[in-house]
Amino acid sequence: RTYKKLQTFKDKRIKYFKSQNFTKFYHARNLALKKASGYYVSFLDIDDTWEVDKIKKQFNKLKKNNFDVCFTNHWIMTSVKKIFRSNLTSKNIFKQILNEYPISILTVMMKRDIFLRDKFFFDKKYEIIGDFDFFFKICKFKKFCCIDEPLATYYIHDNNLSNKKINTEIKEFDIWINRNKSILN
C-alpha cells in the first residue's frame, strides 16, 4: 500500500514511479536514480524507517566536509528486541567493507553525481549483494563519512528478501569473489 500512503503527503518533492513490468531490485534502483533530481540521494525500502532528523544530520555533515557518501548507525528491530551496532567509523572503509560490511543502504545519503556523472551504478545481475558490490567499487574513489548514531531502523521479518534467499546470497558472493580475485589478493 505504498502508493496510498504516499498520497497522504502533500509534498511536490515526493514522486512515485511504478514500472510497467516486473523489474529486479537493483535494476529498479538504477531506473529510479535516473529519474531523481536532487543533489543527494537516499534509499528507503517500504519495510524500513528513518529517524526524523536523519536527512538533516547527513546533509550537514556531507556539505560541511565535502564528503561523497555518508552512512549512519541503525537499529535492527526483531520481533523480540531492538539492537544497534556501536562504534561505526569510516576509517579504512575498503578494509571494513571486506571484513564486516558496516554500511546498511537504508542509512546512506550520497551525491547523485556518483551515478550520473561518474557512471557508477548497481550491478543489476545481483539480487542480494548489489549494495555491497556498489560500495566496494566506489570506496577507493569517493570520500566516506559516518555518523555513529542510529538514524534508521531495519526491520527483520519473514519476508525480508535476504532471509528468504540465503542460497542466492551465497551464490552471488561466490561469483563476486571470483570476479574480484585480483583485487582481493
Side-chain angles (χ1 to χ4, degrees):
R1 296 182 314 241
T2 303
Y3 182 68
K4 279 193 172 221
K5 289 179 182 178
L6 285 174
Q7 286 179 316
T8 64
F9 295 97
K10 304 297 181 213
D11 190 328
K12 293 178 183 176
R13 297 172 298 174
I14 298 173
K15 295 174 180 71
Y16 178 83
F17 302 101
K18 184 175 181 177
S19 177
Q20 298 299 320
N21 304 313
F22 173 79
T23 308
K24 285 192 172 186
F25 194 59
Y26 291 105
H27 182 57
R29 286 203 194 280
N30 289 337
L31 292 172
L33 286 161
K34 290 176 182 175
K35 292 184 178 278
S37 58
Y39 188 76
Y40 296 104
V41 294
S42 290
F43 302 93
L44 181 63
D45 296 332
I46 61 170
D47 55 350
D48 300 321
T49 59
W50 288 341
E51 298 299 317
V52 173
D53 55 353
K54 175 195 177 289
I55 292 173
K56 183 179 181 179
K57 287 181 177 184
Q58 287 183 291
F59 173 79
N60 290 337
K61 185 145 187 167
L62 285 164
K63 190 162 176 92
K64 180 181 174 186
N65 301 294
N66 197 30
F67 287 111
D68 301 302
V69 178
C70 181
F71 63 99
T72 77
N73 211 322
H74 65 284
W75 295 103
I76 298 173
M77 180 71 87
T78 69
S79 59
V80 180
K81 61 183 172 179
K82 187 175 186 178
I83 54 174
F84 76 96
R85 179 183 197 154
S86 58
N87 301 318
L88 286 183
T89 179
S90 56
K91 293 179 182 168
N92 301 318
I93 194 67
F94 178 81
K95 192 174 181 180
Q96 278 193 73
I97 287 174
L98 285 176
N99 291 334
E100 57 197 73
Y101 189 53
I103 302 168
S104 179
I105 196 162
L106 83 129
T107 72
V108 172
M109 178 183 275
M110 68 181 107
K111 291 180 179 176
R112 189 172 125 247
D113 275 353
I114 292 171
F115 302 98
L116 302 181
R117 187 190 65 217
D118 301 335
K119 304 295 185 212
F120 285 106
F121 284 94
F122 295 102
D123 188 332
K124 60 186 179 182
K125 292 180 206 129
Y126 292 123
E127 284 185 67
I128 306 294
I129 70 162
D131 48 330
F132 167 84
D133 173 67
F134 173 79
F135 291 117
F136 176 80
K137 284 190 285 193
I138 71 167
C139 74
K140 289 218 170 195
F141 307 104
K142 300 299 173 187
K143 289 172 52 180
F144 281 65
C145 67
C146 173
I147 298 173
D148 189 17
E149 177 182 349
L151 296 177
T153 303
Y154 175 76
Y155 291 86
I156 296 180
H157 50 80
D158 292 339
N159 291 324
N160 287 111
L161 192 59
S162 54
N163 287 342
K164 292 172 101 176
K165 296 194 170 193
I166 191 71
N167 289 335
T168 302
E169 184 175 11
I170 292 167
K171 286 177 190 172
E172 288 181 1
F173 269 117
D174 189 43
I175 291 166
W176 186 89
I177 289 167
N178 285 324
R179 282 185 183 169
N180 292 284
K181 274 187 179 173
S182 62
I183 298 168
L184 299 174
N185 291 335

